[in-house]
Amino acid sequence: TNLAYMLARQPGHKVCIVDLDLQFGEVSTALHLRPRYTICDVLQREDDGNELSSVIEDYVVRHESGLAVLAAPRDPSEADRIEPGDVSRVIQAVREKFDTVIVDTPPYLSEVVLAAFDMSDSLYAIATLDLPSVRNMGVFLSTMERLKIPQDNVRLILNKAETGVGIDVEQVTKLFSQGFSAVLPYAKEVSKSINLGLPVIASNPGAEISRRIVAGFRELTGHVDEIENALNAAPSGWRRFLHRTPSPAPLA
C-alpha cells in the first residue's frame, strides 16, 4: 500500500494493487475500503464472454489517494476456483489499463503465486528479525534459483527490526550477499496507520519508517526528494482526510 501510494502521487500515474492472498487478503481492510466486487467477479464476467481488459476497471475499488485495488475473494473457499491461468489473464488485463501493477501475495508458494511471479518485473521478499523467518528467506531464494527466476529481479526487505531480540541486523545481512533494499524498524506508527486506513507514509510522512520505506523503493519510484515533495504537496482536501477522526476498519 505504501508503494502504491507513492506511485499514485506522481501526476498521471495509474497504479493498482491486485490482492492475490485469495484466502485471507487484507489490502482492502488495511485501506478501509468496501469493495463491491472481487477477483472472482471479474472472472465471472469473463465467463459471460467479455474481454477482461475492457471491463477490469469496473471491478476495482479506489482509495481516496487515487490508487486502485482489485480485492481478494470474500470467502476463503472461493480461492479454490481460481487457477494459475486465471491469475495470468487478470494481471495482463490490469497491466493494459494501469501504469504499475502491484501484486500482494500470501506468505507461501503455490501455482497461483508462481503464475504472478512469472509476469513480474521485480519481486520483493520480506523477512522479520527472527530465525524461522530468516531461514525461510534462504529457502525462498534457493527455490527461486531452482525455478530459474533471475536473482537480479529479487529484492529483500527486513521488516520490524529491533534491538535486544537475540539476533541483530548485521548478523542477518551477512547471510544474504545481495543485501537488503530496506531495513524497516518496528514502529507503532504502522499499526496506527492501518487503523486509520492509510499507508504509513501518508499518515505520518515524517516518521523514520516512512523515510526508510521511501528510500527502499527508490529504484522503482525515482528520486527520493521528488517523492517526498509530492507527499508534502498533497492537496488540502487530502490533508483533511489524513487528520480526520478514524472509524473502525470494515471487514473486506
Side-chain angles (χ1 to χ4, degrees):
T1 60
N2 285 281
L3 175 57
Y5 178 79
M6 280 189 280
L7 292 168
R9 295 300 308 148
Q10 298 180 9
H13 196 96
K14 296 175 63 178
V15 56
C16 181
I17 304 175
V18 176
D19 193 345
L20 206 60
D21 188 343
L22 300 177
Q23 291 187 315
F24 300 104
E26 55 189 21
V27 173
S28 299
T29 301
L31 293 173
H32 287 203
L33 298 174
R34 297 180 181 272
R36 182 178 179 183
Y37 302 111
T38 73
I39 188 173
C40 293
D41 297 304
V42 176
L43 292 169
Q44 179 62 49
R45 184 74 177 270
E46 182 188 40
D47 291 340
D48 294 337
N50 296 277
E51 288 289 336
L52 284 184
S53 60
S54 65
V55 300
I56 194 72
E57 290 189 275
D58 297 335
Y59 288 84
V60 301
V61 58
R62 296 187 183 273
H63 188 255
E64 193 161 341
S65 64
L67 68 91
V69 176
L70 181 59
R74 299 181 185 87
D75 189 329
S77 65
E78 294 181 303
D80 294 335
R81 295 161 39 195
I82 299 177
E83 303 290 338
D86 298 329
V87 170
S88 298
R89 294 194 304 278
V90 167
I91 292 176
Q92 181 57 40
V94 179
R95 269 181 165 179
E96 293 181 20
K97 297 296 181 180
F98 291 85
D99 300 302
T100 301
V101 182
I102 299 170
V103 182
D104 186 38
T105 66
Y108 55 82
L109 295 177
S110 66
E111 291 185 359
V112 164
V113 171
L114 292 176
F117 283 6
D118 285 340
M119 302 186 70
S120 298
D121 299 310
S122 298
L123 302 178
Y124 281 82
I126 301 175
T128 52
L129 201 57
D130 58 80
L131 288 177
S133 182
V134 171
R135 176 189 176 277
N136 287 339
M137 176 72 82
V139 173
F140 171 79
L141 293 175
S142 298
T143 303
M144 294 298 97
E145 187 174 358
R146 289 198 303 272
L147 293 173
K148 309 291 187 196
I149 293 178
Q151 295 295 300
D152 291 343
N153 294 347
V154 181
R155 305 288 184 272
L156 309 183
I157 294 177
L158 188 61
N159 195 24
K160 298 182 180 179
E162 54 185 332
T163 58
V165 294
I167 183 173
D168 57 44
V169 173
E170 289 74 19
Q171 289 175 290
V172 175
T173 302
K174 290 178 182 178
L175 299 175
F176 303 102
S177 59
Q178 62 269 66
F180 291 92
S181 294
V183 177
L184 307 178
Y186 179 85
K188 63 181 181 181
E189 291 92 346
V190 174
S191 296
K192 182 178 180 180
S193 73
I194 293 172
N195 292 331
L196 288 169
L198 295 167
V200 68
I201 64 169
S203 64
N204 197 333
E208 179 185 2
I209 189 167
S210 297
R211 295 195 299 271
R212 291 200 186 189
I213 288 173
V214 171
F217 286 122
R218 179 196 298 264
E219 62 186 306
L220 292 184
T221 58
H223 298 295
V224 173
D225 291 343
E226 293 176 1
I227 298 297
E228 289 179 339
N229 290 339
L231 294 176
N232 293 330
S236 58
W238 178 241
R239 291 182 184 276
R240 288 196 296 272
F241 175 71
L242 293 183
H243 293 94
R244 71 185 183 190
T245 302
S247 57
L251 294 176

